[in-house]
Amino acid sequence: MDYFVELFVGGLTRGSIYALIALGYTMVYGIIELINFAHGEIYMIGAFTALIVATVLAMSGMSGISVLVLAFLVAVLYSACHGFTVEKIAYKPLRGASRLSPLISAIGMSIFLQNYVMLAQTSDFLPFPNLLPELPFMEPYAHIMGSTEFIIVATTAVVMILLTILIKFTRIGKAMRATAQDRNMAMLVGVNVNRIISMTFIIGSSLAAVGGVLIASHIGRINFYIGFIAGIKAFTAAVLGGIGSIPGAVLGSLVLGWTESFATGYVSSDYEDVFAFALLVLILIFRPSGLLGRSTTQKV
Amino acid sequence: MMKRFLLGVSALCLVFALAGPAPAAETIKIGVAGAHSGDLASYGLPTVKAVELVVNDINARGGVLGRKIELLIEDDVCKPEVATNTATKLVSRKADVVIGHICSGATKTALGIYKDAKLIAVSPSATNPELTQSGRYPNFFRTIASDDAQAKLGVEFAVNRLKVTKIAVLHDKGDYGKGFAEFARKFIEDGKKARVVLFEGVTPGAVDYSAVVNKIRQSGAEAVIYGGYHPEASSIVAQMRKKNMKTLFISDDGVKDDTFIKVAGKYAEGVYASGPKDTKKNPLAIAAIAAHKKAYNSDPGAFFLEGYAAALAVVNAIQKAKSTEYNALVKALRTNYVNTPVGKIRFDNRGDAIGVGFAMYEVKKGTYVEVR
């Protein structure tokens, strides 16, 4: 039983990690039906920014909570700028083109951003300082969950609630839903569609940056390539849950996290990915639109 | 026209006559085979230079058994299909012994030809375990430890020194890591003093290793033996330590890298990793490197010291055997110790050098320290 709980919590943490990235995929898809393959790189840029800020601040003698807050702020801002710019450069000029063109543009952007960070920084792994406060839990629970894991799970929960409120109850949320339903119609009734799309990229990129800082603190190392694998997994999770749906992205991420965790725990970690992707195939066969996805109406 | 052609031919004949067979004071012919051109030349050329330095030194002192040494240098470009030609050429040119080849694949194909010709080959760099362990090549010797040697060292260290009885063997599913792990499992099972409680591959680059870490805890392992490289190792160790697990961690030279310590930080403390024995302080190694610097005005490349050791071992064996006859040489290589830059070595019955190999290191206060 103890073992089961450990694996459950491990899967929950892993799922929350995926969810923070998957939310960005699903929001962008919901609005403009584009799979933003450069999203994983935005996450990686967030982690790098936090590392640089934290290193500079540590050199100037700051420590503790102020470093954490500043690193988060700068990472979110810088990633949001990147998300905004990527959309303007790589996707906006192709908005009228066939659906394949922006997809290829997205893959190109992903490779570009990887190389840009690799050249600017290094291709080696860099140690990432643990920015999150480490509060030791009491012993019967300490091996089940650490404070870092707890913070990741809690952050994902809070982010999801805030995002739901934003979309359901604010003016901008209403405009986002309108754009998702019918872009031309929204434009006709006076919604500034370009601004809404930019907004979506900014929010998605900010979430990715939050994820980047948390996850890098959790695993303690980063390099220019981390965005690729995390991005693929998060994308899978978003499809699993029904791409375009926000609760779907979170649910899909958790299901993927638990699948991997239990497959590793009870079968073998050799088959971690095999089980994860077998699950994806099965769900797509029986529910082509994903767990919570609805065929076309109402996306965000 | 005809006249000029004849003149040319006779001139050629003259050149050949001048360069013809050397006078009867027979030289000892040592073949040097390996990758001397192509993309892997940097692995082969240092050995050529090492052998040249040793042989020049010996010849300057009058040679061995009163005979000078002559080198037959042949390129195999590290390709098995070229190595057959290289080997045939060396046999037909009547080499007495061969130093090389460099790559395991090329070495393997060449060895069959040498075996039929009763020719000894001493490689400075072919690490494939099969070459010695299969018993198929009694004419093969090497001055470098084989790939399985560090798995053996890791297992022996865990079982005899750290006295653990339950071991989890993990790897990164790659050729190198998985090979290491499979050897480790075999040695643990053969040793019968400990047992393997978990054998698994982890996914490189995964965002989280908590499930595998939980599994290690569940298995009750006292030590983890990990085959692979440092990025995954640092994540696994960090997650183990964050979960208050004191399980020992033993790994290979893919982890014995300063980046591991940098990335794993405080969690690296107490981790064991094997790496090549440090021979930088060996006076012969210092002298060999200095000689290279003097002759070529540069630092030597890969396997230079191993090549130097191979040349010294061969010369020493010829001296002790008082001939270049196959059986006498084999016996001399197996029985006489010789001082080389990689340590004091002789060869075991399979052809592996006794005295070279890996040492175990432990992370202490942020650096790798050799465990004695």
Side-chain angles (χ1 to χ4, degrees):
Chain A
M1 192 59 206
D2 196 32
Y3 187 46
F4 179 85
V5 174
E6 277 178 43
L7 292 178
F8 182 85
V9 172
L12 183 68
T13 314
R14 191 184 271 232
S16 305
I17 290 172
Y18 293 152
L20 282 170
I21 312 168
L23 284 169
Y25 275 107
T26 220
M27 281 173 69
V28 166
Y29 186 86
I31 295 276
I32 54 171
E33 300 201 337
L34 161 77
I35 293 165
N36 178 15
F37 275 115
H39 190 65
E41 275 58 53
I42 301 287
Y43 147 85
M44 177 264 296
I45 286 172
F48 263 96
T49 314
L51 174 65
I52 293 166
V53 172
T55 313
V56 170
L57 291 182
M59 272 195 288
S60 68
M62 272 169 95
S63 66
I65 201 85
S66 47
V67 176
L68 175 73
V69 172
L70 275 173
F72 259 110
L73 270 181
V74 179
V76 164
L77 275 177
Y78 200 59
S79 292
C81 290
H82 268 84
F84 177 81
T85 318
V86 164
E87 194 268 330
K88 287 280 177 268
I89 293 173
Y91 307 143
K92 195 175 169 220
L94 295 172
R95 218 171 271 162
S98 75
R99 292 190 58 175
L100 204 54
S101 310
L103 194 72
I104 292 168
S105 178
I107 293 172
M109 208 62 211
S110 156
I111 295 170
F112 169 77
L113 288 175
Q114 274 176 28
N115 284 278
Y116 148 86
V117 173
M118 185 188 76
L119 291 173
Q121 300 295 319
T122 161
S123 59
D124 281 344
F125 273 97
L126 296 171
F128 195 94
N130 195 356
L131 297 174
L132 306 173
E134 264 184 273
L135 311 163
F137 286 17
M138 278 191 299
E139 188 31 67
Y141 307 105
H143 66 271
I144 295 178
M145 192 180 224
S147 53
T148 323
E149 279 104 327
F150 181 77
I151 292 171
I152 290 175
V153 174
T155 311
T156 307
V158 170
V159 161
M160 196 195 137
I161 291 167
L162 288 180
L163 209 55
T164 312
I165 291 172
L166 178 90
I167 283 164
K168 283 249 161 79
F169 303 110
T170 61
R171 265 179 74 85
I172 190 157
K174 210 185 228 173
M176 279 167 120
R177 277 182 290 154
T179 313
Q181 267 184 14
D182 190 329
R183 200 187 303 156
N184 291 330
M185 207 57 205
M187 223 172 334
L188 286 178
V189 296
V191 173
N192 186 343
V193 171
N194 280 334
R195 230 185 70 201
I196 293 300
I197 293 174
S198 292
M199 228 24 233
T200 312
F201 270 87
I202 287 172
I203 295 171
S205 303
S206 308
L207 295 183
V210 172
V213 182
L214 287 177
I215 297 158
S217 296
H218 176 56
I219 54 178
R221 64 187 164 94
I222 56 173
N223 82 341
F224 74 100
Y225 202 60
I226 54 168
F228 180 75
I229 294 164
I232 289 281
K233 281 287 170 70
F235 170 64
T236 309
V239 173
L240 201 60
I243 193 153
S245 150
I246 284 177
V250 176
L251 180 68
S253 301
L254 292 178
V255 168
L256 187 68
W258 280 321
T259 308
E260 289 183 347
S261 186
F262 287 124
T264 303
Y266 288 119
V267 188
S268 162
S269 62
D270 290 332
Y271 297 103
E272 188 181 285
D273 289 350
V274 177
F275 278 100
F277 289 103
L279 175 78
L280 179 72
V281 170
L282 272 182
I283 290 203
L284 289 183
I285 289 173
F286 293 108
R287 273 196 72 97
S289 52
L291 289 173
L292 296 187
R294 261 164 274 173
S295 44
T296 44
T297 50
Q298 239 199 351
K299 264 160 287 170
V300 166
Chain B
M1 189 64 200
M2 194 63 196
K3 212 171 159 187
R4 271 180 71 181
F5 175 72
L6 280 177
L7 198 70
V9 171
S10 49
L12 266 177
C13 289
L14 197 68
V15 171
F16 277 115
L18 285 175
E26 291 264 314
T27 55
I28 293 173
K29 290 176 184 160
I30 296 182
V32 184
H36 305 150
S37 66
D39 51 351
L40 296 170
S42 62
Y43 288 132
L45 289 174
T47 295
V48 176
K49 287 180 180 163
V51 177
E52 275 174 353
L53 287 172
V54 172
V55 166
N56 289 345
D57 189 38
I58 302 274
N59 282 344
R61 284 195 259 143
V64 196
L65 312 176
R67 293 153 68 185
K68 298 259 168 160
I69 298 173
E70 184 190 345
L71 293 180
L72 310 175
I73 297 168
E74 291 289 346
D75 187 6
D76 70 5
V77 218
C78 222
K79 290 184 177 146
E81 65 271 22
V82 182
T84 45
N85 289 340
T86 312
T88 319
K89 220 164 166 182
L90 285 173
V91 170
S92 65
R93 288 178 73 184
K94 303 224 170 348
D96 291 301
V97 55
V98 176
I99 293 175
H101 296 212
I102 301 298
C103 305
S104 291
T107 308
K108 205 169 185 175
T109 41
L111 280 178
I113 295 166
Y114 297 146
K115 191 178 159 191
D116 294 338
K118 292 235 156 202
L119 198 56
I120 286 166
V122 185
S123 171
S125 61
T127 53
N128 185 302
E130 285 283 294
L131 291 173
T132 50
Q133 287 167 18
S134 66
R136 255 177 290 158
Y137 308 107
N139 57 331
F140 178 68
F141 299 86
R142 62 178 149 208
T143 52
I144 192 166
S146 64
D147 288 339
D148 58 327
Q150 59 175 330
K152 189 167 215 161
L153 174 71
V155 169
E156 273 168 6
F157 186 79
V159 173
N160 298 334
R161 220 12 221 285
L162 303 173
K163 308 269 180 227
V164 297
T165 52
K166 287 187 275 181
I167 302 174
V169 180
L170 301 180
H171 58 85
D172 65 355
K173 302 187 209 169
D175 278 345
Y176 167 69
K178 195 170 182 193
F180 174 86
E182 275 168 352
F183 277 119
R185 175 167 66 177
K186 183 172 162 283
F187 293 134
I188 296 169
E189 282 165 358
D190 290 352
K192 295 198 181 4
K193 279 190 197 157
R195 61 199 174 84
V196 180
V197 290
L198 181 68
F199 183 84
E200 254 178 41
V202 300
T203 310
V207 293
D208 182 74
Y209 290 105
S210 63
V212 168
V213 170
N214 284 334
K215 211 166 175 182
I216 297 170
R217 165 195 283 280
Q218 181 73 5
S219 73
E222 295 154 312
V224 173
I225 293 185
Y226 177 76
Y229 299 99
H230 63 80
E232 286 73 39
S234 63
S235 286
I236 295 171
V237 169
Q239 289 208 333
M240 272 165 46
R241 299 295 179 250
K242 279 185 193 167
K243 283 179 187 283
N244 293 333
M245 286 165 67
K246 306 264 186 299
T247 318
L248 300 163
F249 197 88
I250 301 157
S251 195
D252 51 27
D253 64 343
V255 169
K256 202 212 151 255
D257 183 306
D258 289 339
T259 321
F260 172 75
I261 298 175
K262 214 171 77 187
V263 171
K266 65 179 177 185
Y267 302 116
E269 287 298 309
V271 164
Y272 298 99
S274 52
K277 261 186 198 160
D278 190 4
T279 57
K280 280 200 200 78
K281 287 183 193 117
N282 184 322
L284 277 172
I286 295 169
I289 292 168
H292 186 282
K293 209 155 206 163
K294 201 176 148 208
Y296 303 104
N297 199 20
S298 64
D299 281 324
F303 310 124
F304 172 77
L305 293 179
E306 285 80 6
Y308 206 95
L312 285 178
V314 163
V315 170
N316 179 64
I318 294 173
Q319 208 151 28
K320 290 276 156 60
K322 296 199 170 55
S323 88
T324 54
E325 192 263 326
Y326 176 78
N327 289 324
L329 269 187
V330 168
K331 194 163 164 249
L333 282 167
R334 285 183 185 160
T335 46
N336 294 296
Y337 273 100
V338 55
N339 264 319
T340 72
V342 295
K344 198 174 171 193
I345 59 167
R346 78 175 173 84
F347 298 91
D348 65 12
N349 285 337
R350 302 186 310 184
D352 277 321
I354 298 168
V356 305
F358 294 95
M360 192 53 90
Y361 297 83
E362 184 186 357
V363 182
K364 276 184 187 157
K365 298 204 180 80
T367 48
Y368 274 111
V369 182
E370 196 172 330
V371 187
R372 295 237 171 249

